[in-house]
Amino acid sequence: MLAKDIVSSRLETGISFTEFTYQILQSMDFLHLFKHHDVRLQVGGADQAEKVATEPHKREAQKTLASEMTVFVHGEEALNDALSISAALFSGDVKQLSAKQIEEGFKNMPSASIGKETMNLVDWLIETKVEPSKRQAREDITNGAIYINGDRIQDLDFEITEDISFDGRFIIVRKGKKKYTLINLV
């Protein structure tokens, strides 16, 4: 119960015994109904429905505040860039990003540098330390866990060339669902 936001946030400002024990009492009430009346489902009351409805409203308010502050501090273009970068990362579709957006959006993510020469994907993944071994690289490629600039690559003979990079500067590797690495071409 202490992990619940509704309880933990109130501990500092003060919470009544009734409020603190509400969940326990509600659980005991349901247990009684289950044992004596074969009740199998309890639906939240109006107060709980109101709490659920309040949460999306709070999230929307936070988004609006964040957008307004970004525009105020950094300008409209920075907000648009941030929204584009976020959308691309959540969808996995990074192709629409510019090199500038990639540089900004990936600056705090893992990165590596490598030369611009053409190289087999398996060797390239080892060289950039995205993969620890050739065996693991081959397995991840074959299983569809490797994405280059948003495209799933399952061909062990795929060649990495400067042509697939963003402005001859960057290649984005995604391993699995969320592990991104920015490769800087030097």
Side-chain angles (χ1 to χ4, degrees):
M1 263 185 6
L2 292 175
K4 295 233 177 230
D5 287 341
I6 194 73
V7 174
S8 63
S9 66
R10 295 288 308 280
L11 285 176
E12 295 173 23
T13 59
I15 186 169
S16 72
F17 177 78
T18 306
E19 288 175 301
F20 183 75
T21 58
Y22 178 76
Q23 293 172 345
I24 295 170
L25 295 172
Q26 191 176 29
S27 300
M28 291 172 60
D29 183 45
F30 178 75
L31 182 60
H32 174 79
L33 292 171
F34 174 75
K35 285 181 175 178
H36 299 285
H37 302 286
D38 201 35
V39 171
R40 305 253 177 210
L41 176 68
Q42 184 177 25
V43 180
D47 62 327
Q48 292 156 335
E50 186 177 315
K51 287 176 189 171
V52 171
T54 300
E55 284 304 310
H57 179 68
K58 280 173 59 179
R59 273 194 215 101
E60 193 59 40
Q62 288 172 334
K63 280 181 168 179
T64 301
L65 177 61
S67 294
E68 294 298 322
M69 289 302 297
T70 302
V71 170
F72 180 73
V73 175
H74 301 286
E76 190 77 32
E77 184 180 349
L79 172 64
N80 292 334
D81 283 347
L83 293 172
S84 294
I85 292 164
S86 294
L89 289 175
F90 282 109
S91 70
D93 183 18
V94 296
K95 286 182 184 178
Q96 82 257 0
L97 296 176
S98 68
K100 176 183 167 260
Q101 289 172 325
I102 290 168
E103 188 171 32
E104 184 61 31
F106 285 79
K107 69 182 173 190
N108 295 321
M109 292 195 181
S111 64
S113 296
I114 195 167
K116 295 182 179 184
E117 61 274 357
T118 298
M119 189 181 291
N120 171 270
L121 177 59
V122 173
D123 297 327
W124 189 83
L125 291 170
I126 301 300
E127 197 69 30
T128 57
K129 298 190 178 7
V130 170
E131 291 287 8
S133 67
K134 286 190 175 193
R135 184 201 59 76
Q136 186 67 52
R138 285 191 289 269
E139 184 178 315
D140 285 346
I141 293 166
T142 304
N143 290 337
I146 299 296
Y147 295 78
I148 303 294
N149 296 336
D151 292 328
R152 177 181 282 174
I153 308 296
Q154 292 183 278
D155 179 4
L156 293 172
D157 296 322
F158 185 83
E159 297 283 317
I160 298 290
T161 65
E162 184 180 354
D163 296 340
I164 67 169
S165 68
F166 292 89
D167 285 349
R169 298 173 53 201
F170 306 114
I171 295 176
I172 299 172
V173 181
R174 188 177 102 209
K175 181 178 172 181
K177 290 186 177 185
K178 297 180 183 177
K179 188 176 181 193
Y180 284 94
T181 304
L182 178 64
I183 308 300
N184 296 287
L185 300 182
V186 293

